[in-house]
Amino acid sequence: MESLKSGDGLALLGLVVGQLASVESETLYKLLDVKPAHLERLVHGRTSIPKTVAAKWKPLADVLAQVRLVLEDEYLETWLRTPTPDLQGNTPLKCLTGNSRDRAKVAALAEHFSQTSFS
């Protein structure tokens, strides 16, 4: 399995974890699809980050960046766990941890948020 250069992988991991600083640990682990001990090894560079994992984290980082343009940190957890009609009643968390089609729906919703004026 091919891995990213350690700096690239850690930068991406840091970006995602930084955007999720306000969420509960369990939400973080679920979105990253890692167990706590594995995340610790990744953060400290004791385990390399495979390109396949990074390929899932990059779109997540993009979605989070768009959502955070319109949503303050303290509301991110609530948004992730709130069923949404635009996601057929599913939560963004469920869709972001689902298949690529579900993740694409959340990405489209996040893009709509970031391009919509709420004034």
Side-chain angles (χ1 to χ4, degrees), residues 39-50:
L39 180 58
E40 183 178 337
R41 288 191 302 274
L42 291 168
V43 167
H44 293 289
R46 293 192 301 263
T47 300
S48 60
I49 299 172

Side-chain angles (χ1 to χ4, degrees), residues 4-18 42 49 57 61:
L4 292 176
K5 294 177 186 172
S6 63
D8 294 342
L10 286 176
L12 178 58
L13 178 59
L15 178 65
V16 174
V17 170
L42 291 168
I49 299 172
W57 290 351

Side-chain angles (χ1 to χ4, degrees), residues 1 3 20 44 60 83 95 98 108 115-116:
M1 184 180 309
S3 298
L20 293 168
H44 293 289
L60 174 61
C95 291
Q115 294 178 358
T116 302

Side-chain angles (χ1 to χ4, degrees), residues 57-70:
W57 290 351
K58 174 68 172 99
L60 174 61
D62 293 342
V63 165
L64 293 170
Q66 290 178 320
V67 169
R68 293 184 73 233
L69 288 173
V70 296

